[in-house]
Amino acid sequence: MINMAKPSFLVPTKKNRKLAVLVAIHRLTSPSQHKIALQVGISRAMANGYIKQLAAEKLLKVSNRNNRDLDYQLTARGKGELTRLLMDYSAEIIQLYTQAKNEISKRLAAVLPLEAPSRVVLFGASETCEMALQVMGNFPKAKVIGIVDSDNSKQNSFFHGHRVLAPDRISSLAPDFLVITSFARQNEIYESVRHFAENGVKIAKLAVI
């Protein structure tokens, strides 16, 4: 389900909310304005406005469910519009994901040598770490020898084929590079591992501008 509630940077457009309302009506059982508003993360008055707009565009059929409640169903035209908007939405998400991977690749390129073999440890089993693993193919001489995370719940689980280790295993891994893949806690993590630089380990933050 598309959740539009409280985005930090990508402010929902009218087109985005229109899609979210269509998805909510399509998936909810006995959708009401209250349920739709909660699902999309908008006020009931705003949901009412979108419902009226969809009905005027003949994307939505409104009928009486009983004496108190209304029933909302997508028309054939509405289902077609839902499919079209979902395709547009998916295309934009893929573009954003590709841009994020390209940015991570650029930042790794500024750190990792292209010619000399290098042993790399990634700190932070996160979505950013997942993208870093994907772009490591651009650096054939670099090898990810371990992933560490300070979250006990992640330790000893497998993350894309790598067993997540505790940070105290970094020394035994003997990396050439330690890349901090956690954006939210990068400064905290850096302070906890900066002493490895004294042993020649190069430490990099992916989130540095």
Side-chain angles (χ1 to χ4, degrees), residues 103-116 118-122 136 139 142 176-180 201-208:
E103 183 62 26
I104 288 175
S105 182
K106 290 178 182 178
R107 298 192 181 193
L108 287 175
V111 176
L112 301 178
L114 292 177
E115 301 300 331
S118 56
R119 295 162 56 84
V120 182
V121 168
L122 305 178
M136 285 299 292
F139 308 92
D176 301 309
F177 293 87
L178 179 58
V179 179
I180 300 172
V201 179
K202 296 179 177 63
I203 304 172
K205 306 176 188 177
L206 282 187
V208 173

Side-chain angles (χ1 to χ4, degrees), residues 4 12 23 26 30-31 39 78 80 86 89 95 98 113 129-130 140 156 202:
M4 301 307 304
V23 171
H26 179 65
S30 300
Q39 190 71 61
L86 277 174
Y89 177 83
Q95 289 176 5
T98 300
C129 181
E130 179 181 352
N156 293 316
K202 296 179 177 63

Side-chain angles (χ1 to χ4, degrees), residues 61-80:
K61 179 182 179 182
V62 182
S63 58
N64 291 320
R65 182 179 297 122
N66 50 49
N67 292 333
R68 295 183 304 170
D69 299 324
L70 297 175
D71 184 55
Y72 306 106
Q73 291 184 344
L74 297 184
T75 62
R77 183 174 177 178
K79 291 178 181 178

Side-chain angles (χ1 to χ4, degrees), residues 4-12:
M4 301 307 304
K6 297 181 180 179
S8 298
F9 292 99
L10 303 179
V11 178

Side-chain angles (χ1 to χ4, degrees), residues 162-196:
H162 296 268
R163 184 185 291 276
V164 180
L165 305 174
D168 60 14
R169 294 287 303 277
I170 294 175
S171 294
S172 62
L173 292 171
D176 301 309
F177 293 87
L178 179 58
V179 179
I180 300 172
T181 55
S182 171
F183 280 15
R185 298 178 54 242
Q186 64 166 343
N187 293 328
E188 175 188 342
I189 293 172
Y190 178 78
E191 291 301 320
S192 71
V193 299
R194 61 186 303 179
H195 62 279
F196 287 107

